[in-house]
């Protein structure tokens, strides 16, 4: 919905088909995306939609999850490698550590810290990068709390009626 030198804003409309990881030999979501082999299955987005916001080259994206009543019910800071533009859209690698922000935007807590620590212990994330990601997560959460983050422009945003579920483009699975 917006792609400028400053920000990438994407919207996952209800019923959008997307690909989600599963273990190779079961229907379980892999515990560690960085440490395990996995496959992708087709899923349909359930709920009121999600707004994805990322500053260019930032090691995070902020996700606003909308309720069926069309309001943002929660915000989430996904720590990751920066978006990488492809000929089909954007790719990124999730680093497993996330920050959940309360609906009132005044408090937050870490999510999946144990999984993150396991990846550090297994050598998939270096200590220096782990410290950088933690610092980034807390810094972005404080910006949200202080009203100075990129969500300020978007926290009352509503998709127009013209936004419909996207489909996967041909060739999405070719690297």
């Amino acid at each position: 919905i917006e792609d400028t030198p400053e920000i990438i804003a994407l919207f996952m409309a209800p019923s959008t088909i997307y690909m989600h990881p599963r273990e190779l030999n079961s229907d379980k979501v892999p515990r560690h995306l960085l440490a395990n082999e996995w496959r992708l299955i087709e899923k349909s987005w359930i709920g009121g939609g999600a707004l994805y916001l990322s500053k260019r080259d930032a090691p995070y994206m902020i996700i606003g999850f909308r309720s069926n009543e069309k309001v943002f019910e929660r915000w989430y800071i996904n720590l990751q490698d920066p978006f990488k533009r492809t000929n089909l859209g954007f790719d990124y690698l999730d680093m497993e550590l996330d920050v959940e922000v309360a609906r009132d935007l005044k408090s937050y807590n870490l999510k999946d810290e144990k999984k993150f620590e396991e990846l550090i212990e297994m050598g998939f994330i270096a200590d220096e990068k782990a410290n950088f990601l933690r610092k980034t997560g807390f810094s972005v959460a404080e910006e949200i709390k202080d009203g100075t983050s990129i969500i300020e422009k978007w926290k009352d945003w509503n998709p127009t009626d013209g936004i419909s579920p996207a489909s996967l483009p041909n060739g999405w699975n070719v690297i």
Side-chain angles (χ1 to χ4, degrees):
I1 55 178
E2 188 169 318
D3 186 359
T4 68
E6 295 80 34
I7 191 168
I8 298 165
L10 310 170
F11 181 64
M12 177 88 77
S15 301
T16 296
I17 301 298
Y18 68 101
M19 303 306 289
H20 201 266
R22 291 294 185 268
E23 290 181 355
L24 289 178
N25 298 314
S26 80
D27 214 22
K28 293 181 185 176
V29 175
R31 177 154 176 81
H32 299 295
L33 294 177
L34 293 175
N36 299 106
E37 289 188 38
W38 40 273
R39 62 190 172 89
L40 293 171
I41 65 165
E42 239 179 59
K43 296 283 289 180
S44 178
W45 185 265
I46 298 170
L51 176 66
Y52 297 80
L53 303 171
S54 182
K55 289 181 179 179
R56 292 266 179 211
D57 301 319
Y60 66 89
M61 80 173 130
I62 300 173
I63 308 169
F65 293 98
R66 295 173 58 83
S67 69
N68 289 330
E69 290 77 39
K70 310 287 190 234
V71 296
F72 288 108
E73 60 184 5
R74 65 189 173 106
W75 294 88
Y76 194 89
I77 303 164
N78 192 66
L79 296 161
Q80 63 187 42
D81 282 347
F83 275 154
K84 180 181 175 185
R85 188 179 297 277
T86 71
N87 61 338
L88 298 174
F90 300 94
D91 282 340
Y92 65 92
L93 182 60
D94 191 325
M95 292 290 121
E96 300 286 356
L97 184 65
D98 305 300
V99 182
E100 293 177 310
V101 180
R103 187 177 191 173
D104 67 1
L105 308 178
K106 298 300 179 195
S107 62
Y108 54 87
N109 62 283
L110 289 176
K111 180 179 179 292
D112 295 331
E113 192 168 18
K114 184 175 180 181
K115 285 171 61 175
F116 185 67
E117 289 297 327
E118 289 170 356
L119 289 169
I120 295 165
E121 290 171 14
M122 291 188 296
F124 287 99
I125 299 175
D127 288 337
E128 185 177 311
K129 184 169 186 169
N131 292 334
F132 170 74
L133 290 168
R134 276 192 199 93
K135 183 179 174 183
T136 298
F138 287 128
S139 175
V140 174
E142 284 295 318
E143 288 175 3
I144 291 172
K145 186 176 170 183
D146 295 341
T148 60
S149 79
I150 59 174
I151 73 166
E152 286 305 303
K153 173 184 169 184
W154 297 91
K155 64 184 179 183
D156 296 317
W157 176 84
N158 281 301
T160 63
D161 289 335
I163 295 180
S164 58
S167 58
L168 293 168
N170 289 332
W172 70 265
N173 58 336
V174 179
I175 297 179

